[in-house]
Amino acid sequence: MANSSTLVVSRSTEDAIKRRAWLGLLTILGPVLLVSMDGSILFIAMPRVTSAITPTADQALWILDIYGFVVGSLLIAFGNIGDRFGRLKLIMAGALLFGVGSTGAAFSTNPESLIACRLLMGVGGATLLPSGLAIVAALFPDSRKRAQAIGIFAATFAMGFAIGPVLGGFLLQITDWWGSVFLINAPIVIGFLAVAPITLKEVRSSHYGRIDLLSLFLSFVGILLFTYSVKRAAAFGLTQEQLLYGVVGIAAVVWFIRRQRAIEDPLVDLRLFGDRVFTISILAGFLSLVVWSAAGYMTSVYLQSVLGYTVFATALLMLPGAVVITGTCILTPYIIERIGKRVGLIAVYLLIAIGVGLLLFTDVDTGVTLVVVSTIIAGVGYGISFSLVADVAVSAVPVERAGAAGAIAETSNELGNAFGISLLGSVAALVFRLYGPGLAGTLNETLDTPDIAADGIIRANEAFVFGFHIAMGIAAVIMLFVGLIAVRWLPRKLPE
């Protein structure tokens, strides 16, 4: 009888632990969704933002990608800080900072304050991914359940990227206020802060490396100065000041790389890139986000400002691509069982190249069908990438270096999201500056110019579409080229 009672109590306790674990995972998914969603939700809102607070061409690009640069630059550092001081404490502080930044962004009245608030959001967001993943892993001691939980974590992160523009469109349709795409974060953050201390537990590591502050400074400053130089060149042409920023940025990045090879606890373990499989997988994650972010942003502007679709209609047109990305993320494990990791990784490059290549056939009058088909075809590639890259990267390295490989995979995604708009967006901006009517630096600024003539509107639209084609052509060529390299480099059988 006593044994029976003990068994019942034991099962009851075990069930309670399982429930707590799944509730903890559900709690973490809220901020994870916000972090990824905020990397893309502005795509569809930018025409409204541009009309409301009139940023310059380079300010508009900073508004879009300062968030991704900050998140990408700080992910590894905050992973080390969480190991030392506690993941739950860090993620709670980060969520609070994210919420404050979001609220400030919603009520910004000028480009400078919006950029500053987006930077603050990036600092908060950078705490959430590595800490959230560590907490989820600790919630599920059983390896099979832990794999399921991490898979759900990764799918949620990918889904956030996909649904960001769609949700942004719905919010703008309902509220007719661009600040709503930021203020929507506040209730989710408040709910997380209220529930997290109950459903989550503190996680620390007894093995952590020293945080090299100089490396952190060099990587952050190098990336920002280099991209700032590119943006200034695209918006205003080459200047002595702009070139100086670029040179200093490149020098900081080179110094950072050399330092990682010399110090005992590097922020980025560059030795991992000696493995071809690891390198190709990281490139897939990085480049897929480069193309996805640039295509998402410019397609949204094209549909609204060139073809004249409403925000709500634009959101609906982007919905099929979002559904395909989310569905592919879920189905990728089953797809890979049939075709293998090698074919899956190569397919990422080729599908995205084909998808964005279709955008080269759009024009100032028609292109909706091409846009939808493009998002569907490329969406399959994006979905496979979001689900497969981290797994391939981690599998390609020794077990003791899996954590470093996972951190690099996450960082490559965030930097890709930011670099896409910075680099390809700057190419499009440069083309618009050279071939547009010369009234302003961006399409939306030009269309908002008082008493603009009909031929000025036509010329502005044609210049934007030309820049759009150049940027997407570059993206397609790069993906195709690296895809062909992957065909040659990747072994027939990738490690499981």
Side-chain angles (χ1 to χ4, degrees), residues 441-461:
T442 65
L443 175 62
N444 291 104
E445 283 182 295
T446 301
L447 297 179
D448 288 338
T449 302
D451 303 322
I452 183 174
D455 62 335
I457 294 175
I458 294 172
R459 186 175 174 186
N461 285 337

Side-chain angles (χ1 to χ4, degrees), residues 55-138:
T56 63
D58 63 331
Q59 285 176 331
L61 293 176
W62 276 120
I63 289 170
L64 282 162
D65 55 34
I66 186 66
Y67 173 82
F69 279 125
V70 173
V71 172
S73 298
L74 296 177
L75 269 177
I76 297 175
F78 276 138
N80 288 328
I81 291 172
D83 282 342
R84 180 171 298 188
F85 299 107
R87 299 287 190 178
L88 183 56
K89 288 179 182 176
L90 184 65
I91 201 172
M92 294 279 287
L96 179 61
L97 201 60
F98 189 89
V100 171
S102 298
T103 304
F107 295 101
S108 294
T109 57
N110 56 67
E112 293 81 6
S113 63
L114 182 53
I115 291 169
C117 288
R118 289 278 285 168
L119 187 150
L120 195 64
M121 291 170 64
V123 175
T127 70
L128 299 176
L129 289 179
S131 295
L133 193 57
I135 290 173
V136 168

Side-chain angles (χ1 to χ4, degrees), residues 184-436:
I184 188 65
N185 296 336
I188 299 176
V189 168
I190 292 171
F192 172 77
L193 292 174
V195 174
I198 301 171
T199 59
L200 302 177
K201 60 182 180 180
E202 187 58 275
V203 177
R204 288 186 179 88
S205 173
S206 57
H207 305 285
Y208 50 79
R210 183 177 64 87
I211 300 171
D212 187 61
L213 295 179
L214 179 57
S215 293
L216 176 59
F217 175 79
L218 290 173
S219 63
F220 187 66
V221 170
I223 290 170
L224 289 181
L225 288 182
F226 171 72
T227 52
Y228 180 71
S229 174
V230 172
K231 291 169 185 293
R232 295 287 296 182
F236 304 108
L238 297 176
T239 65
Q240 189 174 16
E241 181 185 21
Q242 170 265 326
L243 289 173
L244 178 62
Y245 283 130
V247 170
V248 173
I250 292 172
V253 171
V254 171
W255 187 0
F256 169 80
I257 292 172
R258 295 186 66 178
R259 185 167 178 80
Q260 301 317 290
R261 297 180 181 277
I263 61 178
E264 185 177 350
D265 297 306
L267 290 183
V268 177
D269 188 351
L270 298 177
R271 293 171 298 175
L272 296 177
F273 288 95
D275 186 285
R276 289 184 175 184
V277 175
F278 178 83
T279 301
I280 289 292
S281 64
I282 293 300
L283 272 176
F286 175 75
L287 291 175
S288 63
L289 265 298
V290 165
V291 177
W292 179 84
S293 60
Y297 167 55
M298 284 187 273
T299 298
S300 177
V301 175
Y302 169 72
L303 291 173
Q304 293 179 71
S305 300
V306 176
L307 298 186
Y309 283 89
T310 65
V311 171
F312 184 70
T314 300
L316 291 178
L317 289 170
M318 299 178 87
L319 186 59
V323 171
V324 168
I325 291 175
T326 304
T328 305
C329 284
I330 296 170
L331 295 174
T332 290
Y334 305 101
I335 296 172
I336 297 305
E337 282 183 7
R338 291 181 174 273
I339 66 175
K341 290 181 179 180
R342 181 180 187 272
V343 174
L345 206 55
I346 293 170
V348 168
Y349 291 105
L350 300 185
L351 287 167
I352 295 174
I354 294 169
V356 297
L358 290 176
L359 296 174
L360 301 181
F361 300 97
T362 57
D363 57 41
V364 295
D365 298 311
T366 58
V368 174
T369 302
L370 286 168
V371 167
V372 174
V373 174
S374 168
T375 60
I376 290 172
I377 294 175
V380 177
Y382 299 139
I384 295 174
S385 174
F386 294 161
S387 295
L388 182 62
V389 163
D391 182 31
V392 174
V394 170
S395 301
V397 303
V399 174
E400 64 271 14
R401 299 165 80 182
I408 292 173
E410 287 182 1
T411 303
S412 71
N413 284 341
E414 286 296 337
L415 290 181
N417 186 39
F419 268 116
I421 300 172
S422 292
L423 302 183
L424 293 178
S426 292
V427 168
L430 175 61
V431 173
F432 185 84
R433 186 173 66 85
L434 294 176
Y435 293 95

Side-chain angles (χ1 to χ4, degrees), residues 98-179:
F98 189 89
V100 171
S102 298
T103 304
F107 295 101
S108 294
T109 57
N110 56 67
E112 293 81 6
S113 63
L114 182 53
I115 291 169
C117 288
R118 289 278 285 168
L119 187 150
L120 195 64
M121 291 170 64
V123 175
T127 70
L128 299 176
L129 289 179
S131 295
L133 193 57
I135 290 173
V136 168
L139 286 171
F140 294 89
D142 178 73
S143 60
R144 188 172 181 181
K145 294 294 183 183
R146 184 167 61 247
Q148 290 177 351
I150 292 175
I152 294 171
F153 184 99
T156 301
F157 184 70
M159 185 172 65
F161 275 122
I163 68 172
V166 178
L167 177 60
F170 286 125
L171 288 172
L172 290 170
Q173 176 69 19
I174 294 169
T175 65
D176 196 31
W177 174 47
W178 64 266

